[in-house]
Amino acid sequence: MEDTLSALRSLMVSHSPPLDALVVPSEDYHLSEYVSARDKRREFVSGFTGSAGLALITKKEALLWTDGRYFLQAEKELSAGWKLMRIGEDPAVDIWMADNLPKEASVGVDPWCISIDTAQRWERAFAEKQQKLVPTSKNLVDEVWINRPPAEINAVIVHPVKFAGRSVADKLKDLRKKLVHEQSRGIIFTALDEVAWLYNIRGSDVAYCPVVHAFAIVTSNSAFIYVDKQKVSVEVQTHLVENGIEIREYTAVSSDATLLATDELDAVSTAKAALAETEATKIPSEIDKSVNGEHQAEENSNDLIWADPVSCCYALYAKLNPDTVLLQQSPLALAKALKNSVELDGLKKAHIRDGAAVVQYLVWLDKKMQDIYGASGYFLEKDSVKKEKHLQSLKLTEVTVSDQLEGFRASKEHFKGLSFPTISSVGSNAAIIHYFPKAETCAELDPDKIYLFDSGAQYLDGTTDITRTVHFGKPSTHEKACYTAVLKGHIALGNARFPNGTNGHSLDILARIPLWKDGLDYRHGTGHGIGSYLNVHEGPHLISFRPQARNVPLQSSMTVTDEPGYYEDGEFGIRLENVLIVKEADTTFNFGDRGYLSFEHITWVSSSMFIISLSLIYFHGMLILKYVKSFCTSLN
């Protein structure tokens, strides 16, 4: 790490202008939460492997900002040359830079890896001391990263309407209506899940996220996708062209953004021409014209270019005329979050299969804990009798058991992979909120310690995310009390009824009150949206104490998780997580004619820490019971 820092500081000195500081964000060119191996620049320079964080390198210091999910992990992973900055406790990075860097300091950053909103906020913070943000022409980390992983060529795939629920034509039609409403003639999309959702495509460019490294530009008349053409098969090309989408090389987005700004981007694309040829035998209709954007073009003479300030990178914004840019949340963020009936049905079916896999796993793990460690078992609460290991050649580790869980999931229909690295954690490791075990360093399971696993899968018809906390021996009175507080909060939120217009910031307190009564709390949010065979973390809504949870009210057909927890450093961690669908509530009254909402639970695994009975499994679905019976028979 020291050699890397020295090499970067040499580049900072030789840069024009010389840099007083270099920012290394976690994000890629699409500002993604999870990134490919070659885009893990912050991890490379700092050694910190968490998904969220920002590194700042000055002439003499190296600092790493991250949030409460990663405090313990960062303390373990950062070398002596790095200082941990705790978000929410230490000054924010822009405030720290403004206060600690010299007057007229230059702060370098790759403009492709920082959002418009962040860049503008930093520029405001720098103004008082005439400090300046300097976009670098090259990413300096790439210059010193000798063994940087190569770019992978992974095939783009078509996501069928039978899973997507809506055609590309319908989505483009709705999008262009929004462009007209907002007086815009074009929009840039950089978020990978938005491009995938809009064009009904999926891929494998980022581990655990079925997305493609691609940008998109949509205008009143045309639609473009910017992607490595080596990834595009004949089938995918046909799908895109038939929907009026022109395929352009990934790097062309930069020059095309400039053309978009000057209204020179060719509206009559080759894809549109091909579509016109195939449509020649059809009788023209208002529907056909509106799908291809012609109808909107007649009405839309406005000159604004729409860019989401949070998800669009600063590099593309710099190509536009700032006076004609509409900085507003992407219209796809909410459209994607409001699941259609096909997506909702798929999510429910995926969670039934996923629940069956998790129950199979608990049955298997319970039996192994008894056979190998002499544990009293998860299904019966009694005094744990410490026995001599009678299978000395066998042991269960955090990694081997999580591999077994993945195996149960892999046997289910439509399984495509995990939705994030499984958090499989024993004892003190469970107190590390986003702990990911490694085979060479992971812990062995212990019947006298709490075991927490947070896991999920990608299925063609839905994405899953579930956390359970179990104990195979006899937990302490304190552990039981903490678990009970978490469970009470979990139930209180899951059973909530609330009026339309309520946001996740207002609901967050419901999950915390039982913990607060005992003086306990947790440092992460309580819930996030979840994709439909897309990213496991999906906005724009969330349930959290963070201010941004006020921005978007919960609406019927949104998905959201319910996951309170409690973590005792060096001892144990507890978290419970279900996926919920927001639905209209049937209330006796309707005060103020606002309408009320509630949650539908679609996670089919009991939350009980100590007892799972077959009657509960039956209650949670006959399909799960069938899987359990079949699996138990196979064990005999």
Side-chain angles (χ1 to χ4, degrees):
M1 293 304 170
E2 287 302 318
D3 290 343
T4 300
L5 290 176
S6 296
L8 284 172
R9 286 178 175 133
S10 294
L11 290 179
M12 290 163 59
V13 170
S14 62
H15 189 273
S16 179
L19 301 177
D20 297 275
L22 177 68
V23 178
V24 185
S26 299
E27 292 78 11
D28 59 10
Y29 288 5
H30 305 270
L31 307 183
S32 309
E33 177 185 14
Y34 295 111
V35 300
S36 65
R38 68 184 273 102
D39 291 322
K40 293 183 178 180
R41 299 178 177 93
R42 188 227 60 226
E43 179 179 326
F44 169 72
V45 301
S46 70
F48 170 60
T49 62
S51 65
L54 179 146
L56 178 69
I57 301 165
T58 71
K59 294 177 179 178
K60 295 183 179 180
E61 293 185 274
L63 306 97
L64 187 284
W65 274 260
T66 192
D67 62 51
R69 295 171 297 170
Y70 295 107
F71 289 170
L72 289 180
Q73 181 179 341
E75 287 174 355
K76 290 176 177 289
E77 293 181 343
L78 291 175
S79 65
W82 285 83
K83 179 181 179 182
L84 174 61
M85 303 295 286
R86 295 170 170 81
I87 294 176
E89 298 178 13
D90 293 315
V93 63
D94 53 332
I95 303 302
W96 190 94
M97 288 190 290
D99 290 345
N100 291 275
L101 295 178
K103 186 177 181 180
E104 299 182 351
S106 295
V107 179
V109 67
D110 184 340
W112 289 92
C113 299
I114 187 173
S115 71
I116 302 168
D117 179 71
T118 298
Q120 292 182 338
R121 187 174 69 253
W122 289 2
E123 287 173 337
R124 289 192 295 270
F126 294 167
E128 184 176 345
K129 292 171 63 175
Q130 294 83 52
Q131 297 158 331
K132 55 184 178 293
L133 187 66
V134 178
T136 59
S137 58
K138 295 181 179 180
N139 192 297
L140 300 192
V141 175
D142 296 349
E143 297 292 293
V144 303
W145 193 353
I146 297 173
N147 296 316
R148 186 183 178 206
E152 296 182 15
I153 307 299
N154 299 310
V156 180
I157 61 172
V158 176
H159 192 50
V161 174
K162 69 176 182 179
F163 294 125
R166 295 191 66 206
S167 68
V168 177
D170 283 346
K171 292 177 181 180
L172 285 172
K173 180 180 177 181
D174 285 350
L175 173 59
R176 287 177 172 132
K177 287 180 179 179
K178 292 183 174 70
L179 289 178
V180 172
H181 184 268
E182 297 297 335
Q183 301 181 349
S184 300
R185 61 178 172 82
I187 185 168
I188 299 175
F189 297 108
T190 61
L192 298 181
D193 61 336
E194 292 189 353
V195 177
W197 181 88
L198 177 63
Y199 290 158
N200 282 354
I201 56 173
R202 298 294 188 269
S204 55
D205 285 347
V206 179
Y208 311 106
C209 305
V211 293
V212 181
H213 279 141
F215 299 96
I217 293 177
V218 177
T219 70
S220 302
N221 299 297
S222 304
F224 303 86
I225 184 170
Y226 300 85
V227 63
D228 186 335
K229 290 184 179 180
Q230 297 178 81
K231 302 176 181 180
V232 180
S233 66
V234 173
E235 178 193 2
V236 174
Q237 182 178 4
T238 301
H239 163 76
L240 293 169
V241 170
E242 286 180 347
N243 284 287
I245 303 161
E246 181 172 348
I247 306 166
R248 294 177 62 77
E249 282 294 347
Y250 180 79
T251 54
V253 68
S254 182
S255 57
D256 276 10
T258 301
L259 293 175
L260 179 66
T262 57
D263 203 11
E264 296 177 274
L265 186 61
D266 185 10
V268 186
S269 66
T270 56
K272 184 181 176 184
L275 179 62
E277 184 178 344
T278 60
E279 295 290 312
T281 58
K282 288 188 176 183
I283 299 174
S285 68
E286 288 302 308
I287 294 177
D288 291 335
K289 290 174 73 176
S290 63
V291 165
N292 293 313
E294 297 171 14
H295 191 70
Q296 287 85 341
E298 294 170 6
E299 303 176 25
N300 186 8
S301 60
N302 301 292
D303 198 41
L304 295 178
I305 304 300
W306 193 338
D308 188 323
V310 174
S311 66
C312 184
C313 60
Y314 192 68
L316 290 178
Y317 172 75
K319 303 288 183 180
L320 308 176
N321 178 354
D323 294 331
T324 58
V325 177
L326 173 65
L327 291 177
Q328 186 169 285
Q329 184 180 80
S330 165
L332 299 189
L334 184 58
K336 177 164 52 64
L338 296 173
K339 303 295 186 285
N340 61 57
S341 59
V342 172
E343 289 173 321
L344 290 175
D345 183 61
L347 280 162
K348 292 175 185 179
K349 290 177 178 177
H351 277 81
I352 289 174
R353 296 192 300 275
D354 198 69
V358 174
V359 171
Q360 284 180 280
Y361 173 63
L362 286 171
V363 172
W364 171 86
L365 187 55
D366 177 72
K367 187 175 188 302
K368 290 297 183 183
M369 290 298 291
Q370 293 180 60
D371 289 347
I372 298 175
Y373 298 98
S376 59
Y378 181 70
F379 288 86
L380 296 173
E381 184 184 2
K382 63 182 181 180
D383 290 343
S384 177
V385 179
K386 193 73 175 178
K387 297 181 180 179
E388 185 101 10
K389 294 182 186 178
H390 56 281
L391 295 173
Q392 293 292 331
S393 61
L394 297 177
K395 69 176 183 177
L396 301 177
T397 71
E398 293 166 331
V399 168
T400 59
V401 296
S402 66
D403 287 346
Q404 187 68 38
L405 174 56
E406 182 176 356
F408 287 128
R409 284 189 162 114
S411 68
K412 304 296 180 278
E413 185 182 18
H414 299 321
F415 176 81
K416 300 299 291 183
L418 300 182
S419 56
F420 59 96
T422 298
I423 300 171
S424 175
S425 51
V426 176
S428 61
N429 288 340
I432 303 172
I433 298 172
H434 272 203
Y435 168 82
F436 301 122
K438 298 178 181 178
E440 60 273 15
T441 58
C442 69
E444 183 176 359
L445 265 63
D446 187 330
D448 295 323
K449 293 180 180 179
I450 283 178
Y451 172 63
L452 181 157
F453 65 100
D454 183 352
S455 63
Q458 295 285 5
Y459 302 92
L460 285 173
D461 52 355
T463 302
T464 69
D465 189 359
I466 177 175
T467 308
R468 290 295 181 264
T469 306
V470 298
H471 199 302
F472 295 97
K474 185 175 182 180
S476 70
T477 301
H478 177 57
E479 289 172 334
K480 288 183 181 181
C482 294
Y483 183 92
T484 301
V486 172
L487 180 60
K488 284 180 177 179
H490 178 74
I491 293 171
L493 176 58
N495 288 341
R497 291 191 177 192
F498 47 95
N500 274 304
T502 303
N503 57 48
H505 192 273
S506 300
L507 294 177
D508 182 77
I509 191 174
L510 296 177
R512 296 182 191 269
I513 286 177
L515 288 153
W516 288 354
K517 287 181 178 179
D518 293 327
L520 306 177
D521 204 349
Y522 51 98
R523 291 189 176 101
H524 57 76
T526 302
H528 57 81
I530 192 166
S532 177
Y533 186 39
L534 267 177
N535 293 353
V536 72
H537 293 156
E538 181 179 88
H541 61 290
L542 67 160
I543 300 176
S544 176
F545 59 91
R546 295 185 174 90
Q548 57 264 41
R550 299 190 183 104
N551 296 342
V552 180
L554 297 185
Q555 299 180 43
S556 180
S557 80
M558 283 180 170
T559 58
V560 69
T561 61
D562 172 6
E563 49 179 311
Y566 172 67
Y567 313 88
E568 200 154 293
D569 294 356
E571 297 296 332
F572 62 85
I574 296 166
R575 183 163 65 253
L576 294 172
E577 178 184 19
N578 284 356
V579 173
L580 318 173
I581 294 173
V582 184
K583 66 176 184 177
E584 294 181 2
D586 183 16
T587 56
T588 305
F589 304 101
N590 184 19
F591 182 81
D593 292 324
R594 296 175 65 181
Y596 283 73
L597 300 171
S598 61
F599 295 117
E600 177 182 356
H601 293 249
I602 62 172
T603 299
W604 296 109
V605 180
S606 171
S607 297
S608 172
M609 182 175 182
F610 307 115
I611 302 173
I612 297 180
S613 67
L614 284 180
S615 62
L616 276 175
I617 297 171
Y618 181 86
F619 175 77
H620 283 125
M622 290 298 293
L623 182 59
I624 289 180
L625 179 61
K626 181 184 74 172
Y627 273 110
V628 172
K629 285 182 177 178
S630 174
F631 179 72
C632 290
T633 301
S634 70
L635 291 176
N636 296 329

